[in-house]
Amino acid sequence: MEAKKVIRSETRKVINRLFPFKDGHAFDPGLWAVILQRLPEGYTIPDAQFTSELKRMNDELARIDKI
Amino acid sequence: MRVKILFVTYWYLPHTGGVHAYINLLKKELLKEGHHVDILAHHPDMDKIYMLTTGKYIEKEQIKEVVYGKVLNYYNRYQPYVEPWIRWKEIERYTFELVCTLFQLDQYDLIHTQDIVSTRALARVKPKHVPLVATIHGLVATQHLFTGEITSKKSLPWHYACLEEYYGATSADATIVPTEWVKRRLSKLGVPANHLTTIPYAIDIDQFKRRCATPTERYIPFTEKGKTIILCPAPLLPFQGHRNLMEALALLKERHQNFVCWLVGSGKLDQELLALSYRFRLENHVHFLGDRPDTAQLMNHSDIIVLPSTQDNNPYFIMEAQVAGKLVVSSNTGSTPEMIEDRITGLLFPPKNSRKLADILDLALSNTIWRKHIAEQGFLSGMKRWDSRTLLNNTLAVYHHTLEKRGLRKEIN
């Protein structure tokens, strides 16, 4: 049982690395352990290319609104 | 060289659209060559993602409930200006890509995605050594404007839709598009033209001809001998151009009496078009046949196939009409001019121009020999261009090139 707890705790840490921001959402680590093994290194959610473009476009739209 | 390929689409399968027809035809041709093909797609209930070939499925909910909470929290905290529509699309894509990892993607030599969402998703989660080829069948950003999901081009959702289109077309090792028209539109979004290969759709010509020759048990309107049958196989929706067709037929009726027009399809314009047919006194000329599974047989009974749409991308009916040896009269919109050489392999008219359509139909009805000659040229051209072997060979060339670029071709040999 101790060993399982350790694995779960480790899995949770790894899962949290997919989402590089803090929140308190609960995970069921069973299925996620399989997913984590298969994801490429460096994979994160959300897709940084999209979020950075969204930020840039929002700034641009705000600038246009001011004009 | 035998390749193990995974087709992936975010859309649900099976469905009746062109993407499913494309996937089925390409799979059939690849199997004939000894390749292995699996298909991963949404289940029609949209709650599961499943392998069509084995039936193995994963319920999305168990992944989505985590992604949902995490992604919403992210946007609430860091980018609160992002609209719910975008957040929902993001949650759907991340769920899709995480579920896809549960299908052992590393067993494939090549993954071939079929839309912008699955392309971006698979580019992010596939094993690095597996090459990715994408086919982008059409453009969705403008469709969101038509459906009202996006109301302005000066909005974040519009920019998001363009982002999806851009990354959908650039995230794969190679991207296939069905027409030069799609290629030009994607180039306007900044997609490098040399990343895109145009491979037109194809049809299973033998199967289609068998369908044409099979007697139908459904109702076929009685038509006096000598009357020309004009068939319009298109859903009764605003952008399909039926209003223009009705106006054109009203003008045509003043010059000819020896024709009938069969409308095959249904949609929200059915009552309006019915009213128009009475208003223009076309009751004896226009027949509303509704949705029909026997369009091939109806096409076989017809002389002219008319497609008055105001926007279209590689309509299958043009390919079918040409290989059935029928004269195609179509609006020159979207990719249609790539499929029809005006007055050589078919007849084109400007979209929304009822008078021009009437004039062209008048010409076709008045010159039977000329009409049949053009139909024959369309047939000869179509038999080559829309052959499924052409689609297969062109697609395999893209596969080989992609594998070679990654130095994988020798390994597979």
Side-chain angles (χ1 to χ4, degrees):
Chain A
M1 287 301 284
E2 256 330 283
K4 266 190 179 173
K5 266 186 190 170
V6 172
I7 290 166
R8 283 190 176 184
S9 162
E10 281 306 305
T11 308
R12 179 181 291 229
K13 275 186 204 165
V14 181
I15 291 169
N16 274 324
R17 285 210 290 273
L18 294 183
F19 303 90
F21 51 92
K22 301 268 182 244
D23 76 353
H25 201 91
F27 290 107
D28 169 16
L31 194 64
W32 286 88
V34 181
I35 292 173
L36 286 165
Q37 281 170 8
R38 293 179 182 177
L39 284 171
E41 208 179 328
Y43 174 89
T44 58
I45 292 174
D47 184 340
Q49 278 181 291
F50 273 65
T51 49
S52 62
E53 280 292 310
L54 283 171
K55 182 178 180 331
R56 191 184 64 76
M57 285 165 182
N58 186 60
D59 293 346
E60 180 74 13
L61 288 169
R63 195 182 59 78
I64 292 167
D65 275 351
K66 276 182 192 168
I67 298 168
Chain B
M1 177 179 174
R2 300 285 176 261
V3 187
K4 190 170 185 182
I5 304 151
L6 176 66
F7 285 171
V8 185
T9 178
Y10 175 79
W11 306 117
Y12 69 82
L13 292 179
H15 65 75
T16 53
V19 175
H20 196 196
Y22 172 91
I23 288 173
N24 276 346
L25 185 59
L26 190 54
K27 180 187 172 187
K28 188 176 170 183
E29 292 298 329
L30 286 163
L31 292 180
K32 273 195 220 164
E33 292 294 302
H35 302 293
H36 177 96
V37 180
D38 283 330
I39 303 172
L40 186 62
H42 258 110
H43 186 271
D45 66 14
M46 290 302 278
D47 289 334
K48 297 187 271 291
I49 290 161
Y50 78 130
M51 193 70 82
L52 270 78
T53 29
T54 63
K56 181 190 169 182
Y57 69 88
I58 305 284
E59 297 275 1
K60 282 163 66 182
E61 194 52 38
Q62 50 197 334
I63 306 293
K64 195 173 181 175
E65 63 179 357
V66 174
V67 173
Y68 183 88
K70 290 280 186 186
V71 171
L72 281 193
N73 274 352
Y74 170 83
Y75 281 113
N76 287 341
R77 282 189 200 183
Y78 301 102
Q79 296 186 264
Y81 49 83
V82 170
E83 283 92 338
W85 183 78
I86 297 174
R87 297 182 191 196
W88 171 78
K89 286 183 76 69
E90 288 278 280
I91 289 164
E92 272 291 307
R93 173 157 68 86
Y94 302 138
T95 303
F96 184 79
E97 60 194 28
L98 291 171
V99 172
C100 284
T101 63
L102 295 167
F103 287 89
Q104 289 189 303
L105 303 174
D106 60 352
Q107 64 178 301
Y108 296 98
D109 299 313
L110 186 139
I111 297 173
H112 186 166
T113 47
Q114 302 293 329
D115 57 89
I116 52 175
V117 177
S118 65
T119 302
R120 183 63 183 172
L122 270 292
R124 276 167 48 80
V125 299
K126 72 173 181 61
K128 280 199 166 55
H129 68 275
V130 181
L132 178 64
V133 171
T135 295
I136 304 303
H137 294 268
L139 296 141
V140 293
T142 41
Q143 279 175 19
H144 293 314
L145 287 172
F146 286 119
T147 58
E149 283 176 293
I150 297 175
T151 50
S152 163
K153 285 192 176 182
K154 284 181 186 167
S155 69
L156 211 51
W158 169 254
H159 287 294
Y160 179 81
C162 294
L163 266 186
E164 271 194 309
E165 211 112 75
Y166 174 81
Y167 282 111
T170 54
S171 296
D173 295 293
T175 300
I176 295 167
V177 289
T179 66
E180 288 294 312
W181 179 75
V182 173
K183 191 174 181 173
R184 284 195 297 276
R185 299 284 293 265
L186 287 174
S187 296
K188 280 185 186 168
L189 290 173
V191 178
N194 62 5
H195 186 73
L196 305 171
T197 305
T198 305
I199 302 179
Y201 287 154
I203 54 172
D204 188 333
I205 293 176
D206 291 338
Q207 193 188 63
F208 176 71
K209 288 197 162 184
R210 278 197 300 276
R211 271 172 39 220
C212 281
T214 309
T216 180
E217 291 172 358
R218 299 230 170 187
Y219 164 70
I220 290 192
F222 170 74
T223 308
E224 288 167 49
K225 208 174 171 190
K227 280 202 172 180
T228 302
I229 300 172
I230 301 167
L231 176 75
C232 177
L236 309 183
L237 296 171
F239 61 86
Q240 295 288 352
H242 288 92
R243 290 184 187 117
N244 301 108
L245 176 61
M246 296 299 261
E247 287 167 4
L249 293 175
L251 294 169
L252 189 67
K253 184 170 66 80
E254 302 304 315
R255 307 174 213 173
H256 294 273
Q257 284 297 312
N258 61 338
F259 75 90
V260 289
C261 181
W262 296 349
L263 302 183
V264 174
S266 64
K268 63 180 180 184
L269 289 190
D270 57 355
Q271 290 306 312
E272 182 189 327
L273 293 171
L274 201 57
L276 269 184
S277 82
Y278 283 109
R279 193 176 130 202
F280 294 144
R281 298 183 182 280
L282 286 166
E283 315 82 290
N284 294 328
H285 291 278
V286 175
H287 297 275
F288 291 81
L289 303 187
D291 288 320
R292 298 279 294 239
D294 55 348
T295 316
Q297 289 96 319
L298 291 171
M299 204 177 267
N300 199 33
H301 275 83
S302 310
D303 302 291
I304 298 171
I305 311 302
V306 63
L307 295 161
S309 170
T310 54
Q311 49 158 34
D312 235 324
N313 180 35
N314 223 3
Y316 272 78
F317 287 125
I318 291 183
M319 295 189 277
E320 292 180 345
Q322 286 188 333
V323 300
K326 307 298 174 182
L327 175 71
V328 186
V329 175
S330 174
S331 50
N332 60 351
T333 182
S335 63
T336 307
E338 293 172 46
M339 305 175 78
I340 294 171
E341 205 176 340
D342 191 25
R343 299 186 181 235
I344 307 285
T345 59
L347 298 174
L348 296 174
F349 67 94
K352 298 181 187 173
N353 193 327
S354 312
R355 191 161 291 278
K356 287 273 185 204
L357 174 56
D359 289 346
I360 279 186
L361 288 173
D362 179 10
L363 265 179
L365 289 179
S366 308
N367 300 281
T368 311
I369 294 172
W370 179 69
R371 178 178 92 207
K372 287 186 175 168
H373 173 71
I374 293 176
E376 175 70 12
Q377 294 306 305
F379 169 77
L380 294 172
S381 159
M383 288 297 285
K384 274 190 221 155
R385 291 182 74 191
W386 319 131
D387 184 355
S388 50
R389 299 295 299 176
T390 310
L391 171 72
L392 173 75
N393 292 334
N394 289 336
T395 308
L396 280 178
V398 173
Y399 288 175
H400 291 171
H401 183 65
T402 307
L403 291 164
E404 240 168 20
K405 256 199 325 195
R406 286 177 156 250
L408 291 169
R409 199 173 172 184
K410 267 189 184 170
E411 263 179 47
I412 289 164
N413 276 333

